[in-house]
Amino acid sequence: MAVADKERVLKLREEINYHNYRYYVLDDPEIPDSEYDRLLRELQALEEKHPELITNDSPTQRVGAQPLASFSEIKHLQPMLSLNNAFSDEEVLDFVRRAKEKLQYDQVSSEIVYAAEPKLDGLAISLLYENGQLIRGATRGDGVTGEDVTQNVRTIDAIPLKLMGEQFPSRLEVRGEVVMTKSGFNKLNEIQRDKGEKVFANPRNAAAGSLRQLDPKVTATRPLMFYSYAVGLVEGGSIPDTQTAVLARLKDWGLPVNSEIKQVQGASGCLEYYNEIGAKRDQLDYDIDGVVYKVDKLVEQEELGFVSRAPRWAIAHKFAAQEEMTRLLAIDIQVGRTGALTPVARLEPVFVGGVTVTNATLHNQDEIERKDIRVGDTVIVRRAGDVIPEVVSSIKAKRKKGARKFKLPTQCPVCGSEVIRLENEAVSRCTGGLFCDAQRKESIKHFASRKAMDIEGLGDKLVEQLVDADMVHDLSDIFHLELSKLAGLDRMAEKSAKNLLDALEKSKSTTLDRFIFSLGIRQVGETTAKTLAQYFGSLPAVMSASEEALIDVPDVGPVVAESIVHFFNEPHNTAVIKKLQAAGVHWDDVEVDKSKPQPLADQIFVVTGTLSTMSRDEAKQALQALGAKVTGSVSKKTDYVVVGENPGSKATKAEALGITILDEDSLHALLTNSAAK
Ligand code: 9MJ
């Protein structure tokens, strides 16, 4: 029996290591996580039964060591390099030219081959493998000596405790970067926030903090990944003769290598790669801060050699920094279309993410408090990709004495109305509605925008002028603008005034869905507006729809339904709609397709529990397509309750009321039979 167990233990370890390799190195898992966990649990159980079978490289032994009091120092067997940086194309051209010169390449007719790699923004580490066993892991430190983080490194599933194959050198130092995935970082911060613990500023800091934990149990819970990009000492074996082939070999030995790495030729190949990766940057699930070019042939690397500790054969081509430091001059309040108050940071201009930034969002009151940001502070501003710049944190050490905490006003800075914040909402809102100039401006901008009424020439600046000059109070006023008054406005020639009036006239002929979208009803975007138009066919039908009727519309939930009913219950909204129609805004009603057979017309259904072949929403849509009404709660009026797995109280209530219960098979039968009618 013990022999069988021992064989099973060995087999399980092999299988688990293989699936780890499929997952982390090939990025192509063969089995679901649940199956992997099952294998691991089986191994744990067997090892518990036979503790004498436990080995240090068993996949169960990643966590286990006791917390340390401090980290000890480790001298790398070969120093870890640092890279010179290039911040412009010219600097890359220079780097390439110098390398060609030293290698005696013809500057015009021949090109050096480079390995081009993303520059991962994490923490560099060195792993030492002896006879294929992971012996220790160390941070880069000063390049010569680092900290011993072996216990923590062992908890990173992507790092093999044992190399694969047999041809590996007897001693091998593997260098690479530990990074935290962006998705993992976001989840981690959510958890930290829920626990009331410190949130991390960015994935790099989170990765560094996780690796420098004295308790490996904490590190084990952190979503860390590792990519290899170099070797240090190689003893008792050999490696191939190019960087590209070395990385391929590391991969064969079970070490993860980044999949974006590519061979390129010459400066043009390098710069092309830089642009390619730059364009992809936002889609990658890890942060990078540039790319690295390495002369591919190791003999050429040797010939090029070093200047102090930086190689002449490699360079890091950096992206424009996404985070910079600047001063927070003031906090202004912006009032949006729906009255939401957004605190906006006015900053001393700073070049970040490739543009000069003077404003950045502070999101809301809670965020300002969480980050403890005060006017006058030195702050870190982040602009990543096309995302709105934001203030990430403030540097407390640089805070001036007497800096005061910020509080959102209790009255709207634009109209003076009361500001309220609903329970469970992060946003504070002005209650002024269309009495508030800011909300009025924003709703007119929205009304005129391309996807709404598409009024050419009625841009943001003009809307602000019109409201400030008291020429427009509500949406309908824009259709009564006069040429003489318009032409009198700043930067408005008679010709453009005339064009605007023409555009206004043209826009009066619109479609029902555009008109619904234009009204700026909260929660009603372009798609919902289209759905409502198609479902109800006419504006009066939408305006008189009850919340129950609205919930029946595909993709309309209770929050959207409530918002729609609320909007049309406001007399000033209905008055504006009347005035718009009186001004000539018109559309054709939409034909609601009633020609299809409706075999389930007037039958009321409730769908509850989890269905295995379709989602509840799909079931709802299928029933509705046959004329059924699908509601959210069971009552005496309900005709059928469709019950999936784990149905809960609705099924109990249906039983109590004696309502017909359908299981998933019966639902399919009903749908098929009804459709055939
Ligand atoms: C990063 N950080 O991604 C190197 N690196 O090579 C890559 N760093 C490096 N290579 C030699 N891809 C020293 C550092």
Side-chain angles (χ1 to χ4, degrees), residues 49-68:
K49 196 166 142 200
H50 305 289
E52 71 281 3
L53 294 181
I54 297 176
T55 56
N56 195 37
D57 66 1
S58 170
T60 59
Q61 301 304 301
R62 287 191 173 272
V63 203
Q66 293 305 306
L68 296 171

Side-chain angles (χ1 to χ4, degrees), residues 470-487:
D470 248 0
M471 288 166 69
V472 170
H473 286 279
D474 68 42
L475 294 175
S476 69
D477 293 336
I478 61 173
F479 292 107
H480 301 292
L481 291 167
E482 287 165 23
L483 187 64
S484 58
K485 282 199 182 147
L486 273 176

Side-chain angles (χ1 to χ4, degrees), residues 536 538-550 564-565 568-569 574:
F536 291 102
S538 74
L539 188 64
V542 180
M543 290 174 69
S544 58
S546 65
E547 270 183 50
E548 291 75 35
L550 284 161
I564 296 169
V565 169
F568 291 118
N569 276 343
T574 44

Side-chain angles (χ1 to χ4, degrees), residues 257-276:
V257 173
N258 190 278
S259 60
E260 304 295 333
I261 294 176
K262 220 168 123 176
Q263 248 182 352
V264 300
Q265 285 210 358
S268 61
C270 290
L271 297 180
E272 218 170 279
Y273 180 79
Y274 179 83
N275 291 330
E276 241 171 69

Side-chain angles (χ1 to χ4, degrees), residues 176-193:
E177 202 88 354
V178 170
V179 297
M180 187 174 286
T181 57
K182 292 184 200 169
S183 46
F185 165 77
N186 290 330
K187 272 191 218 137
L188 171 63
N189 262 358
E190 245 171 64
I191 295 168
Q192 295 285 103
R193 204 166 292 154

